[in-house]
Amino acid sequence: MSTNWPHSARERTILIRITQIGLIGLAIFATSALPSAAKQKSLFDQAAQALTEQEPVSGAFAAGASYSACFVPGMDCEGLAVEEIGAARKTVLVQAYSFTSPAIAKALVEAAKRGVDVRVILDKSQRSEKYSGATFLRNAGIPTVIDDKPAIAHNKVMIIDNQVVITGSFNYTKSAQERNAENLLVLRGDLQLVQAYTENWRRRWAVSVPL
């Protein structure tokens, strides 16, 4: 008897993933009597990764959503980020790879002082970075953690008031503004997009460690 299922790309992906998980489970069972704990752990890790993989988020932009696109050299992307932080009233959630911009660090501290809930996730390189803003933020009482699970935590993201997402190649550094070719994109008013970025931020926060 023929069947039309799976008939969509998403359903085919789910079926493939279920099959992969089943095969990994059989491999674990088949090797469970072997003495190699490392091999068994590797198989369990593969199964865990297959179970936790997420589908890409896609969709049309919400009605009324807007954006600002900034490019350096030639524009003040650092100033645009500071302006958006200055407008925050409730929350600023940050993911950063390198963080040496005094202007952005100061804007985050000022936001925290006026009652905004500011939280920051940084790459592990910021533990040893000589001019990192990480220590400055932590000393100002801003919760700051290190995402040390991946090889590089390379996100450059801010989520503001559950309304605004800032992303792009632009690191939060003086070099990004003064020396590099970068872009910074501010997306406003698309709640589905904000939710996707917020959920990813929360996943990374959950597996991060204190600075």
Side-chain angles (χ1 to χ4, degrees), residues 27-42:
I28 293 170
F29 178 79
T31 60
S32 61
L34 297 178
S36 174
K39 185 172 183 180
Q40 293 180 42
K41 182 179 185 301
S42 175

Side-chain angles (χ1 to χ4, degrees), residues 41-53:
K41 182 179 185 301
S42 175
L43 290 167
F44 276 114
D45 288 345
Q46 291 177 50
Q49 181 177 355
L51 285 167
T52 57
E53 285 179 351

Side-chain angles (χ1 to χ4, degrees), residues 68-208:
S68 296
C70 185
F71 306 94
V72 290
M75 300 181 186
D76 186 6
C77 296
E78 183 181 61
L80 178 58
V82 168
E83 180 181 343
E84 294 294 329
I85 296 167
R89 293 296 174 263
K90 296 179 181 178
T91 57
V92 180
L93 308 179
V94 180
Q95 288 173 280
Y97 170 62
S98 185
F99 201 128
T100 61
S101 166
I104 293 177
K106 182 181 177 182
L108 291 172
V109 170
E110 289 177 349
K113 287 180 178 178
R114 63 177 183 267
V116 176
D117 182 7
V118 179
R119 299 171 185 250
V120 179
I121 303 172
L122 298 175
D123 178 66
K124 56 179 171 282
S125 63
Q126 298 307 285
R127 286 173 172 154
S128 56
E129 182 73 33
K130 185 175 180 181
Y131 300 108
S132 173
T135 303
F136 177 75
L137 296 174
R138 183 186 62 187
N139 291 344
I142 293 175
T144 304
V145 299
I146 299 295
D147 187 357
D148 64 352
K149 296 295 187 293
I152 298 176
H154 212 233
N155 289 293
K156 300 100 174 178
V157 171
M158 296 189 199
I159 307 157
I160 300 175
D161 290 347
N162 296 317
Q163 293 286 333
V164 177
V165 170
I166 302 175
T167 188
S169 71
F170 190 88
N171 281 305
Y172 307 139
T173 65
K174 288 186 67 177
S175 292
Q177 178 60 47
E178 298 175 1
R179 300 174 58 186
N180 297 354
E182 307 276 5
N183 72 86
L184 184 139
L185 181 63
V186 182
L187 301 157
R188 308 179 186 89
D190 191 312
L191 299 185
Q192 181 178 354
L193 188 63
V194 170
Q195 182 180 5
Y197 272 89
T198 302
E199 288 176 354
N200 182 67
W201 185 94
R202 288 173 176 164
R203 284 193 295 270
R204 301 320 308 162
W205 178 271
V207 297
S208 297

